[in-house]
Amino acid sequence: MFKSWRLGSLFGFPIEINLSFLLLLGLVLVAFGGLMGVFVVCLAFASVVLHELGHAIVARKLGVHVAGIELGFLGGAAKMVNLPRTWTHELMIAAAGPAVSLMLGGIGIGIGVALGSPFIAMIGWINLVIAAFNMIPALPMDGGRVLRALLVPKFGFVRATDIAVAVARVAAVGFVVFGIAAEMYQLLI
């Protein structure tokens, strides 16, 4: 795996960046917007840190140890050392990140509109996209964890995990089909 470096800590949780995150910044700098693109990616990842901090704080309150938060090429992760004790704990921990993103999104859009600032509104929209993307019902994303937690009372943990994995596979195939269809559409126009 790639090496990680500690940036500091928030609320006692170490914040680390992975080499893959630096590769992302380099790619954006060279191919997708220069320094302004890097700035926007850094803003988006600041929102990701807050999203992951939501998971970490709720996990700590529920007795789940979190070793830290790591940022990489594809996003961030609160590194939980042990599993939640109950399905309700898993539900609360999984929902905490998207809830933070939704709140930041609403606040950002509201302030952006009130001040007439498209830049602040853009930060709000970034957070809404983060929340929506994370709620796709595919493990190991938040939506997949929420789905599994909701299925546990009826099916038990193992069967609920199997169902959530099957849904994740369908979502993955759906993304591939969508990507191919979008590419074909672009070729036709």
Side-chain angles (χ1 to χ4, degrees):
M1 290 310 260
F2 290 114
K3 181 171 176 48
S4 293
W5 295 274
R6 185 172 173 172
L7 293 177
S9 66
L10 285 172
F11 298 99
F13 299 106
I15 309 296
E16 300 175 343
I17 58 167
N18 189 287
L19 176 62
S20 66
F21 177 72
L22 298 177
L23 294 173
L24 170 66
L25 292 181
L27 177 67
V28 169
L29 178 68
V30 172
F32 298 106
L35 288 175
M36 184 53 84
V38 169
F39 178 70
V40 170
V41 168
C42 287
L43 276 177
F45 271 81
S47 294
V48 170
V49 168
L50 295 174
H51 174 104
E52 296 302 331
L53 198 56
H55 293 304
I57 289 171
V58 171
R60 182 186 331 180
K61 290 224 178 254
L62 296 173
V64 176
H65 179 67
V66 177
I69 295 170
E70 185 175 43
L71 301 176
F73 192 92
L74 297 177
K79 301 186 296 186
M80 289 191 286
V81 174
N82 52 322
L83 293 173
R85 293 185 194 120
T86 66
W87 69 269
T88 55
H89 287 182
E90 181 172 32
L91 178 64
M92 289 187 284
I93 293 167
V100 168
S101 295
L102 285 172
M103 286 187 287
L104 291 172
I107 290 167
I109 292 170
I111 291 173
V113 168
L115 297 178
S117 171
F119 178 73
I120 295 173
M122 178 192 70
I123 294 170
W125 282 107
I126 287 171
N127 278 281
L128 292 182
V129 169
I130 290 170
F133 181 76
N134 273 276
M135 286 308 293
I136 294 170
L139 282 173
M141 295 169 58
D142 300 336
R145 292 182 185 278
V146 166
L147 174 63
R148 176 174 60 192
L150 293 172
L151 293 172
V152 166
K154 182 170 180 156
F155 297 104
F157 185 78
V158 173
R159 182 72 181 122
T161 302
D162 290 341
I163 294 168
V165 167
V167 171
R169 287 182 180 140
V170 170
V173 170
F175 278 119
V176 169
V177 169
F178 176 78
I180 291 170
E183 189 62 33
M184 291 176 65
Y185 176 77
Q186 288 296 320
L187 290 172
L188 294 174
I189 58 169

